[in-house]
Amino acid sequence: MRLVVVMAGGFGFLTVVLGSMAWNKPIEMSLVNGAISAFVAGILLRWWMKLWITSLEQVSRQEEMAATLDQLEADAEQARTASKLSESGKP
């Protein structure tokens, strides 16, 4: 995750510095704006990655619980079927 945050910061920095230089802004202003955008991009991407990972974990837990519930229902159905068969076999 650190690599992704660093890459986002680098992308934000380069984007703003190159954009500022294309608009003929002073280099000092370009570097300051680039540093600010690198910080903001890193923070935003870190937040988004945490949100994404949390969502993936939640979906995984839900799928696991659904599979467990399906297995329990299948076991209960087998138990009911076995119970009915044993009851019908009694005189």
Side-chain angles (χ1 to χ4, degrees):
M1 188 154 128
R2 288 182 187 176
L3 177 63
V4 175
V5 172
V6 169
M7 288 176 59
F11 178 74
F13 180 80
L14 286 175
T15 302
V16 170
V17 168
L18 292 175
S20 293
M21 293 176 79
W23 287 92
N24 296 324
K25 304 258 178 153
I27 190 71
E28 297 84 15
M29 180 184 253
S30 299
L31 291 176
V32 169
N33 289 340
I36 292 169
S37 70
F39 177 73
V40 170
I43 295 294
L44 286 176
L45 189 73
R46 184 175 180 204
W47 167 77
W48 184 80
M49 288 290 292
K50 282 185 177 182
L51 182 67
W52 185 54
I53 289 171
T54 303
S55 297
L56 287 175
E57 289 172 347
Q58 183 180 10
V59 167
S60 177
R61 281 192 302 266
Q62 286 175 348
E63 288 176 352
E64 184 180 332
M65 287 175 29
T68 302
L69 182 60
D70 290 342
Q71 181 62 39
L72 289 173
E73 288 175 352
D75 291 346
E77 184 62 33
Q78 285 178 348
R80 276 187 244 129
T81 305
S83 175
K84 286 180 184 178
L85 288 175
S86 65
E87 287 177 3
S88 66
K90 292 181 181 178

